[in-house]
Amino acid sequence: MALALLYDVHGNLPALEAVVADARGQGAQRFVLGGDYALFGPWPAETLDALRELPEAEWIRGNGERWTAAPGDAPDDPVVQGGIAACGDALGAEAVEALAALPQRLDREEALYCHGSPLSDVRSFMSQPAGDEPELLDGVRRRRVVFGHTHLPFHRAGAAETDLVNPGSVGMPFDGDPRAAYALVDPDGRIEHRRVAYDHAAAAAALRERFDGDWTRVVARRIERATFEPG
């Protein structure tokens, strides 16, 4: 029974629908949902509703859920704060509080699942090792750590022989490929990174149409160009 790893959906409903259809076609019957479900996307509430319909899904909290519940903890940046305000209004107080109350990590026999790293939901790993990697993995006993946050899919060996897996971002990839990204875990533990095409240009246009503010133009460009860099 394959396991689908869905991270960083960011309110992008058609990207989520494309990924779920692909995952089911590959035999996925279980899902791990890795945080950042609604913030910055064109369809925050609709995306949350779709995620709630997934069978056998386990959820963790990302920094997006934490920030939406406590905007003062987020960066004082107009793009971030504009997105938070729009997302909070779209979801409503009850949903915002419920998402913020999700666990920060899932510790399972096969892997430790977190958003950024076991230490933090905003400090994470990159495709090449960095000097703080031992600190981020301090005390971790699982061989495999699954995380997201950077929107960059990769799989490599980490410090202390840890297996590091980033499934990539469903709704807002930052690796130059606008297709939705996720990963499958086969019953034998093998990781398969997958990409699924969807109409990303229409999703970017929908963000501009559905919400007001300069933040929408910045985020829409990220969806269109699959990069965090301004342009």
Side-chain angles (χ1 to χ4, degrees):
M1 184 166 61
L3 169 67
L5 307 174
L6 275 55
Y7 273 67
D8 296 292
V9 181
H10 284 288
N12 192 334
L13 182 62
L16 174 63
E17 291 173 336
V19 159
V20 169
D22 186 79
R24 285 177 168 154
Q26 296 298 314
Q29 298 181 29
R30 297 187 298 129
F31 297 83
V32 167
L33 308 179
D36 281 15
Y37 304 113
L39 182 60
F40 298 125
W43 299 277
E46 296 88 342
T47 298
L48 185 57
D49 288 342
L51 288 166
R52 286 170 171 161
E53 294 177 359
L54 290 177
E56 299 296 324
E58 294 190 277
W59 301 55
I60 61 174
R61 186 200 74 206
N63 62 292
E65 287 71 54
R66 180 170 61 84
W67 287 355
T68 304
D73 293 343
D76 185 16
D77 174 271
V79 174
V80 174
Q81 293 295 332
I84 287 172
C87 183
D89 288 345
L91 295 183
E94 184 176 352
V96 168
E97 292 173 8
L99 290 172
L102 290 170
Q104 184 175 341
R105 307 190 304 182
L106 291 174
D107 191 355
R108 297 293 180 263
E109 182 177 353
E110 74 278 5
L112 177 66
Y113 302 96
C114 53
H115 183 70
S117 67
L119 185 65
S120 167
D121 60 12
V122 292
R123 292 179 61 190
S124 193
F125 309 95
M126 301 302 289
S127 58
Q128 297 298 319
D132 65 345
E133 199 162 287
E135 177 192 0
L136 296 180
L137 292 170
D138 185 40
V140 173
R141 292 179 172 84
R142 299 299 180 195
R143 179 180 178 273
R144 174 171 285 173
V145 176
V146 179
F147 58 95
H149 185 62
T150 62
H151 301 203
L152 300 171
F154 64 88
H155 181 195
R156 67 169 174 85
E161 299 183 351
T162 303
D163 192 38
L164 296 177
V165 178
N166 189 327
S169 172
V170 172
M172 203 180 298
F174 287 159
D175 63 347
D177 183 344
R179 294 177 299 167
Y182 79 105
L184 284 173
V185 186
D186 289 343
D188 63 2
R190 183 175 61 89
I191 298 290
E192 179 186 0
H193 282 89
R194 295 185 63 82
R195 302 305 283 257
V196 187
Y198 77 101
D199 194 342
H200 62 279
L207 180 63
R208 296 184 181 101
E209 294 166 1
R210 292 170 65 89
F211 293 100
D212 297 322
D214 291 341
W215 70 273
T216 63
R217 289 186 281 276
V218 174
V219 176
R221 285 198 301 270
R222 292 174 181 170
I223 296 172
E224 289 169 333
R225 302 179 184 183
T227 179
F228 186 78
E229 298 299 324

